[in-house]
Amino acid sequence: MTAPPHQSAGRWRTSASLSEGVANIRSSVLGPILVAVTVLVVGVSLVVDVRTAGEIVAAETAYLDAGGDLLVARGQDGATVDAARCHALSSVAGVRAAAGVTTVPAAAVLVGRPESAQAVVRATPGVLDILGVDAWGPRDVVASQAVAERWQWQAGTRLQFEATGATAMGAPTGVLQVAAVADLALLGDAASTAVLLVQEPTGEVDECWVRVAPQHRDDVRAALPAVLGETRESAIHVADRLPPGALAQDPAATYDARPTRWAPVAAGVVVGLLWGVVTWTRRGRAALYAAVGVPWAGGVLIRWTEGALVVAVGCVWAAALAAGVGVVVLDVPGVVVLPLVVRGAAGGLAAALVVVAAVGLGQPATLAALKDR
């Protein structure tokens, strides 16, 4: 406790309570200890939540990279699908990309490699969005990872199909260039050893591949047959690229429902209750303030200031340390860690402040508390 607080015209000033509370924490050995405990409790809860969220995001990313958000529409008994209708799906709500795809095994021979019987995938332009390929020119192709490894190709490598095979499959004649190497296995096992050619959305294709937003998956699936022109004689079957799994549903809902979401808030409550225990052990100090003329409201403000300073500094440090652990140690992307840590620390701080405020309202009996002191 510092020197007797200043009073003006017999009235206790708010600034006196604020300065007294700050001075008490700064001059007390208990202050840094309580801040350290707050950092530990809130920081651990934040790290646990970051780790859980990182696992959800990593699992979702792996699922999507393997084609978890893709639907495949095929005609009954090998019937073809209209390429223009498939291409137009990209404008449908909930569809992120759509491409008509035809895979032709052993379609052509590469010039200079007479032993090759190269599989070729012909697809409409939406396939570039599905594969994540950006730059594209009229004489560009995409090589599958297996083909690139077999022939030692990379972006910029030039190739050419023999004229007969190129003409038969409608490919450009002359020299072509590998624009990118991508995982064409995303378009099916037969495409895993193919070269991709982009064609105009005209004519017929074997399949229509559609990348959907998870929350629209069921709606798009139900609408695809009608949009692609299903008739009584020619049914359209829609299947998932991957078997439905835990993340086949909306990943945002899975993220929001994670069990550790409220862990920082619970940690804040624990910190607030710990401060309540400390306040009870310091009840003699509160009684001494009342004995020297500090009014009830002034004493409450002192206790609020002390508690708020401890939990605020502790939560800020906890957030900073948890963010570093999440990015550096747990290898969770910063775009995931930072919002998560900020929201979690804010929730923990809010919960702690509520408890601190409730505890600070209590005023011990002056004579009894002084006797205990």
Side-chain angles (χ1 to χ4, degrees):
M1 179 175 177
T2 61
H6 300 291
Q7 299 188 35
S8 177
R11 299 183 61 188
W12 179 265
R13 293 186 299 179
T14 299
S15 60
S17 289
L18 296 176
S19 61
E20 188 74 9
V22 173
N24 287 345
I25 294 299
R26 293 180 60 183
S27 62
S28 172
V29 177
L30 191 59
I33 295 176
L34 291 174
V35 170
V37 171
T38 302
V39 172
L40 178 63
V41 174
V42 177
V44 168
S45 70
L46 289 173
V47 170
V48 169
D49 191 33
V50 166
R51 180 176 181 177
T52 301
E55 290 173 350
I56 293 173
V57 171
E60 176 196 353
T61 300
Y63 183 75
L64 296 180
D65 288 345
D69 58 349
L70 290 174
L71 298 176
V72 189
R74 302 180 179 90
Q76 184 179 21
D77 298 328
T80 57
V81 178
D82 184 79
R85 287 177 179 268
C86 180
H87 179 72
L89 284 169
S90 57
S91 61
V92 174
V95 175
R96 293 175 173 170
V101 176
T102 297
T103 302
V104 185
V109 175
L110 295 170
V111 171
R113 301 184 186 275
E115 74 282 5
S116 65
Q118 183 60 59
V120 173
V121 174
R122 293 185 288 111
T124 57
V127 74
L128 301 178
D129 293 326
I130 292 177
L131 296 175
V133 177
D134 297 325
W136 191 262
R139 305 193 70 79
D140 287 342
V141 300
V142 175
S144 68
Q145 294 174 345
V147 168
E149 183 177 348
R150 178 191 305 165
W151 303 124
Q152 298 300 302
W153 287 351
Q154 59 185 352
T157 299
R158 299 181 182 277
L159 66 135
Q160 184 175 354
F161 293 115
E162 289 189 355
T164 303
T167 302
M169 64 182 174
T173 56
V175 178
L176 305 175
Q177 178 175 279
V178 176
V181 176
D183 183 16
L184 296 188
L186 196 66
L187 302 176
D189 294 339
S192 62
T193 57
V195 172
L196 171 68
L197 301 173
V198 176
Q199 65 180 26
E200 292 299 318
T202 58
E204 301 291 317
V205 292
D206 291 343
E207 302 168 331
C208 182
W209 289 72
V210 183
R211 168 155 280 159
V212 297
Q215 65 272 25
H216 296 284
R217 189 185 196 93
D218 293 338
D219 294 337
V220 173
R221 180 198 298 274
L224 276 179
V227 175
L228 292 176
E230 180 181 54
T231 64
R232 185 174 302 177
E233 294 76 21
S234 179
I236 300 291
H237 297 289
V238 181
D240 295 293
R241 170 64 180 88
L242 295 179
L247 287 173
Q249 303 302 318
D250 186 356
T254 304
Y255 181 86
D256 291 339
R258 67 189 184 280
T260 58
R261 180 178 183 181
W262 300 105
V265 176
V269 173
V270 171
V271 168
L273 293 175
L274 176 62
W275 176 252
V277 173
V278 172
T279 300
W280 182 82
T281 63
R282 290 157 60 95
R283 62 193 183 281
R285 177 188 293 263
L288 188 57
Y289 276 120
V292 298
V294 177
W296 174 79
V300 168
L301 187 54
I302 291 174
R303 294 189 289 276
W304 282 358
T305 303
E306 293 172 343
L309 185 61
V310 167
V311 299
V313 173
C315 286
V316 170
W317 272 104
L321 293 175
V325 171
V327 173
V328 178
V329 179
L330 301 180
D331 198 26
V332 180
V335 294
V336 175
V337 172
L338 294 181
L340 197 65
V341 166
V342 170
R343 288 195 300 267
L349 176 59
L353 289 177
V354 169
V355 179
V356 165
V359 168
L361 292 174
Q363 176 69 50
T366 302
L367 292 179
L370 286 174
K371 182 179 178 180
D372 291 340
R373 180 181 175 88

